[in-house]
Amino acid sequence: DAMVIQNPRYQVTQFGKPVTLSCSQTLNHNVMYWYQQKSSQAPKLLFHYYDKDFNNEADTPDNFQSRRPNTSFCFLDIRSPGLGDAAMYLCATSRERGSTNIQYFGAGTRLSVL
Amino acid sequence: AQKVTQAQTEISVVEKEDVTLDCVYETRDTTYYLFWYKQPPSGELVFLIRRNSFDEQNEISGRYSWNFQKSTSSFNFTITASQVVDSAVYFCALSEPTGNQFYFGTGTSLTVIP
Protein backbone atom coordinates (compact mmCIF):
# COMPACT_ATOMS: atom_id res chain seq x y z
CA ASP A 1 0.00 0.00 0.00
CA ALA A 2 1.24 3.45 -0.90
CA MET A 3 2.56 5.32 2.12
CA VAL A 4 3.13 8.69 0.46
CA ILE A 5 0.24 9.60 -1.78
CA GLN A 6 0.21 12.45 -4.23
CA ASN A 7 -2.85 13.80 -5.94
CA PRO A 8 -3.46 14.30 -8.72
CA ARG A 9 -0.95 12.28 -10.72
CA TYR A 10 -1.32 14.65 -13.64
CA GLN A 11 -2.30 18.30 -13.46
CA VAL A 12 -2.81 20.74 -16.29
CA THR A 13 -3.06 24.43 -15.58
CA GLN A 14 -2.98 27.63 -17.54
CA PHE A 15 -0.22 30.17 -17.51
CA GLY A 16 -0.71 32.34 -14.44
CA LYS A 17 -3.56 30.30 -12.96
CA PRO A 18 -2.89 29.23 -9.36
CA VAL A 19 -2.59 25.52 -8.76
CA THR A 20 -2.32 23.35 -5.66
CA LEU A 21 -0.71 19.94 -5.45
CA SER A 22 -1.50 17.59 -2.59
CA CYS A 23 0.53 15.09 -0.61
CA SER A 24 -0.53 12.85 2.23
CA GLN A 25 1.35 10.26 4.26
CA THR A 26 0.41 7.33 6.45
CA LEU A 27 3.86 6.97 8.03
CA ASN A 28 3.37 9.60 10.75
CA HIS A 29 6.73 11.08 9.80
CA ASN A 30 7.79 14.42 11.18
CA VAL A 31 9.36 15.75 8.01
CA MET A 32 7.75 16.37 4.65
CA TYR A 33 9.58 17.60 1.55
CA TRP A 34 8.68 18.99 -1.84
CA TYR A 35 11.00 18.47 -4.79
CA GLN A 36 10.81 19.72 -8.35
CA GLN A 37 12.15 17.41 -11.04
CA LYS A 38 12.48 18.58 -14.62
CA SER A 39 12.95 16.22 -17.50
CA SER A 40 16.19 14.22 -17.34
CA GLN A 41 17.35 16.08 -14.24
CA ALA A 42 17.82 15.24 -10.60
CA PRO A 43 15.11 16.20 -8.11
CA LYS A 44 15.65 19.66 -6.66
CA LEU A 45 14.54 20.40 -3.12
CA LEU A 46 12.14 23.34 -2.86
CA PHE A 47 11.38 23.30 0.86
CA HIS A 48 10.57 21.05 3.76
CA TYR A 49 8.51 21.04 6.95
CA TYR A 50 9.83 19.71 10.20
CA ASP A 51 6.57 19.31 12.04
CA LYS A 52 5.11 22.82 11.61
CA ASP A 53 8.44 24.48 11.08
CA PHE A 54 8.76 25.60 7.45
CA ASN A 55 12.21 25.62 5.84
CA ASN A 56 12.64 27.22 2.45
CA GLU A 57 15.63 26.56 0.21
CA ALA A 58 17.48 29.76 -0.64
CA ASP A 59 16.88 29.52 -4.37
CA THR A 60 13.22 28.52 -4.29
CA PRO A 61 11.18 31.17 -6.13
CA ASP A 62 8.59 33.16 -4.18
CA ASN A 63 6.02 31.80 -6.58
CA PHE A 64 6.14 28.52 -4.66
CA GLN A 65 4.47 28.25 -1.27
CA SER A 66 3.55 25.39 0.98
CA ARG A 67 1.10 24.55 3.74
CA ARG A 68 1.05 21.74 6.24
CA PRO A 69 -2.25 21.81 8.13
CA ASN A 70 -1.50 18.61 10.04
CA THR A 71 1.04 15.78 10.24
CA SER A 72 -0.49 13.83 7.39
CA PHE A 73 -0.99 16.47 4.73
CA CYS A 74 1.22 18.92 2.90
CA PHE A 75 0.30 21.15 -0.04
CA LEU A 76 2.36 22.85 -2.70
CA ASP A 77 0.85 26.08 -4.01
CA ILE A 78 2.13 27.65 -7.19
CA ARG A 79 0.70 31.15 -7.24
CA SER A 80 1.30 32.09 -10.86
CA PRO A 81 2.66 29.17 -12.84
CA GLY A 82 4.92 29.94 -15.73
CA LEU A 83 5.93 27.69 -18.58
CA GLY A 84 9.19 27.00 -16.78
CA ASP A 85 7.32 25.49 -13.85
CA ALA A 86 6.18 22.51 -15.89
CA ALA A 87 7.82 19.58 -14.16
CA MET A 88 7.28 16.54 -11.99
CA TYR A 89 6.69 17.49 -8.35
CA LEU A 90 7.72 14.90 -5.80
CA CYS A 91 6.69 14.76 -2.19
CA ALA A 92 8.80 12.85 0.32
CA THR A 93 8.76 12.15 4.03
CA SER A 94 11.30 11.11 6.64
CA ARG A 95 10.93 10.19 10.26
CA GLU A 96 13.33 12.89 11.43
CA ARG A 97 15.73 15.39 9.94
CA GLY A 98 19.37 14.59 9.46
CA SER A 99 21.58 12.66 7.15
CA THR A 100 20.69 9.23 8.50
CA ASN A 101 17.06 9.44 7.58
CA ILE A 102 15.70 7.65 4.57
CA GLN A 103 13.30 9.72 2.51
CA TYR A 104 10.22 7.95 1.20
CA PHE A 105 8.78 9.37 -1.99
CA GLY A 106 5.36 9.55 -3.54
CA ALA A 107 4.73 8.80 -7.20
CA GLY A 108 4.75 12.47 -8.09
CA THR A 109 2.43 14.92 -9.81
CA ARG A 110 3.32 15.84 -13.36
CA LEU A 111 2.37 19.46 -13.95
CA SER A 112 1.77 20.86 -17.40
CA VAL A 113 1.39 24.59 -17.98
CA LEU A 114 -0.43 25.72 -21.12
CA ALA B 1 30.81 21.83 -7.62
CA GLN B 2 28.79 18.71 -8.21
CA LYS B 3 28.67 16.67 -5.04
CA VAL B 4 27.46 13.50 -6.72
CA THR B 5 28.49 12.54 -10.23
CA GLN B 6 26.88 9.84 -12.27
CA ALA B 7 28.88 9.98 -15.45
CA GLN B 8 26.74 7.44 -17.31
CA THR B 9 23.67 9.22 -18.63
CA GLU B 10 22.16 6.25 -20.42
CA ILE B 11 23.00 2.56 -20.50
CA SER B 12 21.40 -0.20 -22.56
CA VAL B 13 21.99 -3.86 -21.89
CA VAL B 14 20.47 -7.06 -23.11
CA GLU B 15 18.47 -9.05 -20.62
CA LYS B 16 20.57 -11.32 -18.36
CA GLU B 17 23.67 -9.21 -18.76
CA ASP B 18 25.32 -7.71 -15.70
CA VAL B 19 25.51 -3.94 -15.48
CA THR B 20 27.32 -1.54 -13.16
CA LEU B 21 26.15 1.98 -12.50
CA ASP B 22 28.87 4.34 -11.34
CA CYS B 23 28.61 6.96 -8.62
CA VAL B 24 31.36 9.28 -7.44
CA TYR B 25 30.79 11.71 -4.62
CA GLU B 26 32.54 14.64 -3.03
CA THR B 27 32.36 15.69 0.59
CA ARG B 28 34.57 17.14 3.32
CA ASP B 29 32.59 15.52 6.10
CA THR B 30 33.93 12.38 7.72
CA THR B 31 30.43 11.20 8.52
CA TYR B 32 27.96 11.01 5.68
CA TYR B 33 25.43 8.70 4.10
CA LEU B 34 25.06 7.42 0.58
CA PHE B 35 21.87 6.22 -1.02
CA TRP B 36 20.63 4.64 -4.21
CA TYR B 37 17.11 5.19 -5.46
CA LYS B 38 15.29 3.68 -8.44
CA GLN B 39 12.80 5.72 -10.43
CA PRO B 40 10.71 3.52 -12.74
CA PRO B 41 8.54 5.04 -15.48
CA SER B 42 5.70 5.39 -12.96
CA GLY B 43 7.70 8.20 -11.34
CA GLU B 44 8.03 7.13 -7.73
CA LEU B 45 11.53 7.16 -6.30
CA VAL B 46 12.06 3.80 -4.62
CA PHE B 47 14.66 3.50 -1.87
CA LEU B 48 17.21 0.76 -2.52
CA ILE B 49 20.03 1.17 -0.04
CA ARG B 50 21.61 3.44 2.55
CA ARG B 51 25.27 3.16 3.52
CA ASN B 52 27.11 5.18 6.16
CA SER B 53 30.65 6.36 5.66
CA PHE B 54 32.09 4.08 8.34
CA ASP B 55 30.81 0.90 6.79
CA GLU B 56 32.85 -0.07 3.76
CA GLN B 57 31.54 -3.60 3.54
CA ASN B 58 30.07 -4.46 0.22
CA GLU B 59 26.44 -5.40 0.29
CA ILE B 60 24.46 -7.89 -1.73
CA SER B 61 20.70 -8.09 -1.92
CA GLY B 62 19.47 -10.64 -4.41
CA ARG B 63 20.62 -9.53 -7.84
CA TYR B 64 21.75 -6.15 -6.50
CA SER B 65 25.17 -5.43 -5.05
CA TRP B 66 26.95 -2.29 -3.98
CA ASN B 67 30.66 -1.56 -3.86
CA PHE B 68 31.62 1.30 -1.54
CA GLN B 69 35.22 2.50 -1.74
CA LYS B 70 36.15 5.54 0.31
CA SER B 71 39.61 5.66 -1.24
CA THR B 72 38.08 6.54 -4.59
CA SER B 73 34.91 8.19 -3.23
CA SER B 74 32.78 5.79 -5.17
CA PHE B 75 29.61 3.89 -4.43
CA ASN B 76 28.88 1.74 -7.46
CA PHE B 77 25.79 -0.36 -8.01
CA THR B 78 25.76 -3.64 -9.91
CA ILE B 79 22.72 -5.50 -11.18
CA THR B 80 23.42 -9.12 -11.97
CA ALA B 81 21.42 -10.97 -14.63
CA SER B 82 19.44 -7.87 -15.52
CA GLN B 83 15.72 -8.09 -16.22
CA VAL B 84 13.35 -5.88 -18.18
CA VAL B 85 11.78 -4.74 -14.89
CA ASP B 86 15.12 -3.21 -13.96
CA SER B 87 14.61 -0.56 -16.64
CA ALA B 88 14.47 2.73 -14.77
CA VAL B 89 16.45 5.80 -13.87
CA TYR B 90 18.78 5.20 -10.96
CA PHE B 91 19.87 8.01 -8.69
CA CYS B 92 22.79 8.04 -6.33
CA ALA B 93 22.55 10.55 -3.46
CA LEU B 94 24.70 11.92 -0.68
CA SER B 95 23.47 13.20 2.68
CA GLU B 96 25.70 15.21 4.97
CA PRO B 97 25.06 15.81 8.68
CA THR B 98 25.36 19.58 8.27
CA GLY B 99 22.31 19.81 6.06
CA ASN B 100 18.96 18.22 5.65
CA GLN B 101 18.81 17.41 2.01
CA PHE B 102 19.94 14.82 -0.42
CA TYR B 103 22.44 15.80 -3.05
CA PHE B 104 21.25 13.75 -5.97
CA GLY B 105 23.32 12.83 -8.95
CA THR B 106 21.85 13.46 -12.37
CA GLY B 107 20.76 9.85 -12.69
CA THR B 108 21.56 6.98 -15.02
CA SER B 109 18.81 5.77 -17.30
CA LEU B 110 19.02 2.00 -17.65
CA THR B 111 17.21 0.18 -20.43
CA VAL B 112 17.16 -3.59 -20.38
CA ILE B 113 16.34 -4.99 -23.78
CA PRO B 114 14.49 -8.31 -23.88
Side-chain angles (χ1 to χ4, degrees):
Chain A
D1 290 338
M3 298 176 288
V4 182
I5 302 162
Q6 292 189 242
N7 286 306
R9 291 294 311 277
Y10 301 90
Q11 177 73 55
V12 180
T13 190
Q14 292 179 329
F15 183 94
K17 184 175 181 181
V19 65
T20 294
L21 309 183
S22 168
C23 178
S24 64
Q25 54 130 340
T26 60
L27 297 165
N28 205 33
H29 282 174
N30 285 319
V31 193
M32 295 187 77
Y33 309 80
W34 279 104
Y35 287 84
Q36 179 192 63
Q37 185 182 22
K38 296 191 175 180
S39 182
S40 302
Q41 295 184 21
K44 177 180 180 298
L45 183 65
L46 296 173
F47 26 60
H48 76 273
Y49 272 96
Y50 178 66
D51 195 15
K52 296 182 180 180
D53 181 27
F54 177 70
N55 298 270
N56 202 28
E57 293 300 302
D59 56 353
T60 298
D62 293 339
N63 198 24
F64 291 87
Q65 303 288 323
S66 186
R67 295 171 285 134
R68 189 179 185 187
N70 54 52
T71 301
S72 300
F73 285 88
C74 194
F75 300 99
L76 170 62
D77 300 309
I78 308 176
R79 292 192 296 189
S80 182
L83 298 179
D85 296 327
M88 173 78 89
Y89 290 87
L90 295 165
C91 175
T93 74
S94 65
R95 186 178 303 278
E96 291 292 338
R97 287 193 294 197
S99 59
T100 66
N101 284 277
I102 298 166
Q103 292 188 21
Y104 295 91
F105 286 81
T109 295
R110 187 170 295 282
L111 178 68
S112 298
V113 181
L114 304 179
Chain B
Q2 186 75 14
K3 283 186 173 284
V4 179
T5 301
Q6 294 180 255
Q8 304 149 307
T9 306
E10 295 180 0
I11 301 176
S12 292
V13 298
V14 177
E15 198 171 21
K16 297 184 183 177
E17 286 184 349
D18 299 347
V19 59
T20 295
L21 309 182
D22 298 333
C23 174
V24 174
Y25 62 92
E26 180 184 330
T27 180
R28 294 184 178 181
D29 291 334
T30 53
T31 302
Y32 52 89
Y33 284 77
L34 296 163
F35 300 77
W36 275 96
Y37 279 83
K38 173 183 179 180
Q39 188 175 38
S42 59
E44 179 179 355
L45 277 157
V46 178
F47 166 75
L48 296 178
I49 190 172
R50 175 185 63 186
R51 176 52 53 88
N52 76 55
S53 52
F54 295 107
D55 183 1
E56 284 197 73
Q57 278 192 331
N58 290 333
E59 177 146 348
I60 298 174
S61 176
R63 295 184 298 107
Y64 295 172
S65 62
W66 290 269
N67 184 346
F68 176 32
Q69 295 198 351
K70 287 180 77 170
S71 60
T72 56
S73 297
S74 65
F75 186 43
N76 296 337
F77 172 31
T78 297
I79 302 174
T80 303
S82 59
Q83 300 177 1
V84 173
V85 294
D86 296 328
S87 297
V89 181
Y90 291 85
F91 289 96
C92 180
L94 166 71
S95 183
E96 297 170 327
T98 50
N100 191 51
Q101 66 166 296
F102 285 173
Y103 297 98
F104 283 98
T106 50
T108 296
S109 178
L110 174 66
T111 301
V112 181
I113 303 165

PDB file of all heavy atoms in Angstrom, chain A residues 15 36 38 64 81-87 89 111 113:
ATOM      1  N   PHE A  15      -1.226  29.176 -17.881  1.00  0.00           N
ATOM      2  CA  PHE A  15      -0.217  30.166 -17.513  1.00  0.00           C
ATOM      3  C   PHE A  15      -0.838  31.185 -16.566  1.00  0.00           C
ATOM      4  O   PHE A  15      -1.846  31.803 -16.878  1.00  0.00           O
ATOM      5  CB  PHE A  15       0.303  30.843 -18.789  1.00  0.00           C
ATOM      6  CG  PHE A  15       1.405  31.836 -18.557  1.00  0.00           C
ATOM      7  CD1 PHE A  15       2.730  31.454 -18.658  1.00  0.00           C
ATOM      8  CD2 PHE A  15       1.120  33.149 -18.245  1.00  0.00           C
ATOM      9  CE1 PHE A  15       3.756  32.360 -18.449  1.00  0.00           C
ATOM     10  CE2 PHE A  15       2.121  34.074 -18.031  1.00  0.00           C
ATOM     11  CZ  PHE A  15       3.445  33.675 -18.134  1.00  0.00           C
ATOM     12  N   GLN A  36      11.166  19.506  -6.957  1.00  0.00           N
ATOM     13  CA  GLN A  36      10.815  19.722  -8.350  1.00  0.00           C
ATOM     14  C   GLN A  36      11.801  18.930  -9.211  1.00  0.00           C
ATOM     15  O   GLN A  36      13.020  19.011  -8.998  1.00  0.00           O
ATOM     16  CB  GLN A  36      10.920  21.214  -8.706  1.00  0.00           C
ATOM     17  CG  GLN A  36      10.601  21.543 -10.154  1.00  0.00           C
ATOM     18  CD  GLN A  36      11.006  22.972 -10.521  1.00  0.00           C
ATOM     19  OE1 GLN A  36      12.184  23.328 -10.487  1.00  0.00           O
ATOM     20  NE2 GLN A  36      10.016  23.795 -10.842  1.00  0.00           N
ATOM     21  N   LYS A  38      12.691  18.333 -13.192  1.00  0.00           N
ATOM     22  CA  LYS A  38      12.478  18.585 -14.624  1.00  0.00           C
ATOM     23  C   LYS A  38      13.043  17.422 -15.420  1.00  0.00           C
ATOM     24  O   LYS A  38      13.834  16.625 -14.915  1.00  0.00           O
ATOM     25  CB  LYS A  38      13.094  19.918 -15.019  1.00  0.00           C
ATOM     26  CG  LYS A  38      12.407  21.089 -14.315  1.00  0.00           C
ATOM     27  CD  LYS A  38      12.810  22.415 -14.879  1.00  0.00           C
ATOM     28  CE  LYS A  38      11.991  23.518 -14.219  1.00  0.00           C
ATOM     29  NZ  LYS A  38      12.333  24.863 -14.737  1.00  0.00           N
ATOM     30  N   PHE A  64       6.452  29.808  -5.265  1.00  0.00           N
ATOM     31  CA  PHE A  64       6.145  28.520  -4.659  1.00  0.00           C
ATOM     32  C   PHE A  64       5.932  28.699  -3.160  1.00  0.00           C
ATOM     33  O   PHE A  64       6.770  29.270  -2.461  1.00  0.00           O
ATOM     34  CB  PHE A  64       7.293  27.524  -4.877  1.00  0.00           C
ATOM     35  CG  PHE A  64       7.462  27.095  -6.302  1.00  0.00           C
ATOM     36  CD1 PHE A  64       8.239  27.847  -7.171  1.00  0.00           C
ATOM     37  CD2 PHE A  64       6.847  25.956  -6.770  1.00  0.00           C
ATOM     38  CE1 PHE A  64       8.386  27.461  -8.499  1.00  0.00           C
ATOM     39  CE2 PHE A  64       7.005  25.555  -8.091  1.00  0.00           C
ATOM     40  CZ  PHE A  64       7.772  26.308  -8.949  1.00  0.00           C
ATOM     41  N   PRO A  81       1.767  30.070 -12.103  1.00  0.00           N
ATOM     42  CA  PRO A  81       2.659  29.167 -12.841  1.00  0.00           C
ATOM     43  C   PRO A  81       3.104  29.739 -14.178  1.00  0.00           C
ATOM     44  O   PRO A  81       2.297  30.309 -14.928  1.00  0.00           O
ATOM     45  CB  PRO A  81       1.794  27.919 -13.056  1.00  0.00           C
ATOM     46  CG  PRO A  81       0.673  28.031 -12.087  1.00  0.00           C
ATOM     47  CD  PRO A  81       0.456  29.489 -11.864  1.00  0.00           C
ATOM     48  N   GLY A  82       4.392  29.592 -14.428  1.00  0.00           N
ATOM     49  CA  GLY A  82       4.918  29.940 -15.726  1.00  0.00           C
ATOM     50  C   GLY A  82       5.262  28.678 -16.493  1.00  0.00           C
ATOM     51  O   GLY A  82       5.235  27.574 -15.947  1.00  0.00           O
ATOM     52  N   LEU A  83       5.602  28.857 -17.761  1.00  0.00           N
ATOM     53  CA  LEU A  83       5.932  27.690 -18.582  1.00  0.00           C
ATOM     54  C   LEU A  83       7.122  26.920 -18.002  1.00  0.00           C
ATOM     55  O   LEU A  83       7.205  25.690 -18.114  1.00  0.00           O
ATOM     56  CB  LEU A  83       6.235  28.136 -20.021  1.00  0.00           C
ATOM     57  CG  LEU A  83       5.085  28.818 -20.759  1.00  0.00           C
ATOM     58  CD1 LEU A  83       5.523  29.242 -22.160  1.00  0.00           C
ATOM     59  CD2 LEU A  83       3.864  27.916 -20.842  1.00  0.00           C
ATOM     60  N   GLY A  84       8.014  27.633 -17.365  1.00  0.00           N
ATOM     61  CA  GLY A  84       9.188  26.998 -16.779  1.00  0.00           C
ATOM     62  C   GLY A  84       8.900  26.177 -15.532  1.00  0.00           C
ATOM     63  O   GLY A  84       9.782  25.485 -15.032  1.00  0.00           O
ATOM     64  N   ASP A  85       7.689  26.258 -15.035  1.00  0.00           N
ATOM     65  CA  ASP A  85       7.315  25.493 -13.849  1.00  0.00           C
ATOM     66  C   ASP A  85       6.757  24.114 -14.200  1.00  0.00           C
ATOM     67  O   ASP A  85       6.450  23.326 -13.302  1.00  0.00           O
ATOM     68  CB  ASP A  85       6.292  26.267 -13.021  1.00  0.00           C
ATOM     69  CG  ASP A  85       6.854  27.571 -12.478  1.00  0.00           C
ATOM     70  OD1 ASP A  85       8.066  27.619 -12.186  1.00  0.00           O
ATOM     71  OD2 ASP A  85       6.088  28.554 -12.372  1.00  0.00           O
ATOM     72  N   ALA A  86       6.618  23.842 -15.481  1.00  0.00           N
ATOM     73  CA  ALA A  86       6.180  22.514 -15.893  1.00  0.00           C
ATOM     74  C   ALA A  86       7.246  21.505 -15.495  1.00  0.00           C
ATOM     75  O   ALA A  86       8.421  21.643 -15.867  1.00  0.00           O
ATOM     76  CB  ALA A  86       5.947  22.480 -17.399  1.00  0.00           C
ATOM     77  N   ALA A  87       6.849  20.522 -14.718  1.00  0.00           N
ATOM     78  CA  ALA A  87       7.817  19.577 -14.161  1.00  0.00           C
ATOM     79  C   ALA A  87       7.059  18.486 -13.415  1.00  0.00           C
ATOM     80  O   ALA A  87       5.847  18.530 -13.271  1.00  0.00           O
ATOM     81  CB  ALA A  87       8.765  20.284 -13.187  1.00  0.00           C
ATOM     82  N   TYR A  89       6.535  17.046  -9.733  1.00  0.00           N
ATOM     83  CA  TYR A  89       6.694  17.495  -8.349  1.00  0.00           C
ATOM     84  C   TYR A  89       6.578  16.276  -7.440  1.00  0.00           C
ATOM     85  O   TYR A  89       5.578  15.560  -7.446  1.00  0.00           O
ATOM     86  CB  TYR A  89       5.677  18.573  -8.007  1.00  0.00           C
ATOM     87  CG  TYR A  89       6.006  19.857  -8.730  1.00  0.00           C
ATOM     88  CD1 TYR A  89       5.524  20.092 -10.020  1.00  0.00           C
ATOM     89  CD2 TYR A  89       6.867  20.802  -8.174  1.00  0.00           C
ATOM     90  CE1 TYR A  89       5.869  21.239 -10.709  1.00  0.00           C
ATOM     91  CE2 TYR A  89       7.215  21.949  -8.856  1.00  0.00           C
ATOM     92  CZ  TYR A  89       6.727  22.162 -10.132  1.00  0.00           C
ATOM     93  OH  TYR A  89       7.084  23.296 -10.822  1.00  0.00           O
ATOM     94  N   LEU A 111       3.077  18.208 -13.673  1.00  0.00           N
ATOM     95  CA  LEU A 111       2.368  19.461 -13.952  1.00  0.00           C
ATOM     96  C   LEU A 111       2.683  19.950 -15.357  1.00  0.00           C
ATOM     97  O   LEU A 111       3.858  20.062 -15.725  1.00  0.00           O
ATOM     98  CB  LEU A 111       2.772  20.534 -12.934  1.00  0.00           C
ATOM     99  CG  LEU A 111       2.148  21.916 -13.143  1.00  0.00           C
ATOM    100  CD1 LEU A 111       0.648  21.872 -12.879  1.00  0.00           C
ATOM    101  CD2 LEU A 111       2.817  22.952 -12.256  1.00  0.00           C
ATOM    102  N   VAL A 113       1.853  23.202 -17.968  1.00  0.00           N
ATOM    103  CA  VAL A 113       1.391  24.592 -17.985  1.00  0.00           C
ATOM    104  C   VAL A 113       1.158  25.005 -19.428  1.00  0.00           C
ATOM    105  O   VAL A 113       2.090  24.959 -20.247  1.00  0.00           O
ATOM    106  CB  VAL A 113       2.424  25.528 -17.313  1.00  0.00           C
ATOM    107  CG1 VAL A 113       1.917  26.969 -17.319  1.00  0.00           C
ATOM    108  CG2 VAL A 113       2.729  25.066 -15.900  1.00  0.00           C
TER     109      VAL A 113
END
